[in-house]
Amino acid sequence: MKNYITVSFLLILGMHAGAANEIPTGPSPQTTSTTLMYDDFCDTCGCSGNGGSMGFGTGLNNNFIGLRYITQRYQSRDGIFANSPWIDEHFNTLQLWTQVPLGERFIVNAVLPYQFHSREFADNTEQHIDGMGDATILGFYQILKQTSDSIISIKPQHTLQLGGGVKMPTGKFDEANLEGSVNPSFQLGTGSWDYLLAANYGITHRNWGLSVMANYTIKSKNDKEYHFGNQFNYALNTYKTYYFGTNFSLTPQLGIGGEYFDKNEEYGLEVADTGGNAFFGKLGTEVNYNQYALGVSAMLPISQDLNNGKVEVKSRFSVYLNINI
């Protein structure tokens, strides 16, 4: 029942935005590139269980509804020894996501993920799990808001947003997936109600832009007495938009970002070989045609120390198709 409630909420948000906003007829700094600021930061990373939550960024604050696919590749040690074999893990997430306005200053971000994960053990056996992930809803108040008086702003335009939200336990948490694995993230969800604080800042000048984002997730204990560690994400992105006519634009993006995880706890005791950090480089691009936006991005680790070195993130890749509303 909770899954149907979440789906209905997302659809209502999308219909509300569609009725309240005209679809733009051409690209402008107010209707392009925003989704490039949504970083592919996820609650996996060997330290949580959401496998593809939304990263909250800033940019030009266009409103949209769309689909995004995220794939991540990890390796974790199948054993306690230095020469223990590695497990290949693939985390895949398909997200229904949206951003809609509520009045002049408030905006709402929402994500509903569907997960399908797999891993291959040293003996060539495989494990697969799939199902609904944890839905996330986040509200922002826009302290500074960009104006829309020109296609390319003559003066620098600033955006500042502060917000908070909740991640709901709509994804299944399975205790059996904790046994014999150093990566407790192989889950569909955390099984807990988690709470988010977020801040975004963006500046654009002519067709250049820069954004800075940070968010902190406070995680609670689930009904299985397992508590994933709190999580901190941050990112800096730069981009430039190239316009080709009145209804087509291309926006390459370059960025860096990082993630930090506290250690997990079970029955109030710290879980060994959990927690850590990772630092990434990111390259992406977005193509806008009329009200449609197609984007791709790739993230590669620059440095990392996850689960005491027993989990390694290899790569992340995402692609999305949005309708600006």
Side-chain angles (χ1 to χ4, degrees), residues 217-278:
T217 305
I218 303 168
K219 301 177 183 178
S220 63
K221 181 174 59 177
N222 62 31
D223 59 3
K224 305 298 183 181
E225 295 295 324
Y226 200 89
H227 184 185
F228 287 98
N230 294 347
Q231 176 177 343
F232 176 66
N233 294 342
Y234 61 92
L236 183 147
N237 297 285
T238 60
Y239 58 93
K240 182 178 182 180
T241 301
Y242 298 89
Y243 298 96
F244 305 93
T246 59
N247 59 358
F248 181 77
S249 67
L250 176 67
T251 307
Q253 179 216 16
L254 184 66
I256 56 174
E259 304 169 346
Y260 173 81
F261 305 89
D262 289 335
K263 289 183 175 295
N264 301 347
E265 294 181 354
E266 188 171 20
Y267 294 100
L269 300 177
E270 187 177 281
V271 179
D273 297 327
T274 59
N277 61 87

Side-chain angles (χ1 to χ4, degrees), residues 162-236:
L162 297 178
V166 61
K167 183 179 69 63
M168 298 170 282
T170 51
K172 180 182 178 181
F173 174 83
D174 189 350
E175 286 181 291
N177 290 334
L178 299 176
E179 300 299 327
S181 172
V182 297
N183 192 351
S185 292
F186 196 77
Q187 302 283 348
L188 298 178
T190 62
S192 62
W193 287 87
D194 302 333
Y195 307 95
L196 300 98
L197 300 173
N200 303 317
Y201 170 75
I203 180 172
T204 59
H205 182 55
R206 298 188 181 275
N207 57 344
W208 285 90
L210 180 145
S211 71
V212 181
M213 60 79 71
N215 64 67
Y216 186 73
T217 305
I218 303 168
K219 301 177 183 178
S220 63
K221 181 174 59 177
N222 62 31
D223 59 3
K224 305 298 183 181
E225 295 295 324
Y226 200 89
H227 184 185
F228 287 98
N230 294 347
Q231 176 177 343
F232 176 66
N233 294 342
Y234 61 92
L236 183 147

Side-chain angles (χ1 to χ4, degrees), residues 146-163:
Q146 290 180 327
T147 61
S148 56
D149 56 353
S150 64
I151 292 181
I152 298 180
S153 301
I154 297 176
K155 296 181 179 180
Q157 298 284 299
H158 300 270
T159 300
L160 178 61
Q161 305 169 346
L162 297 178

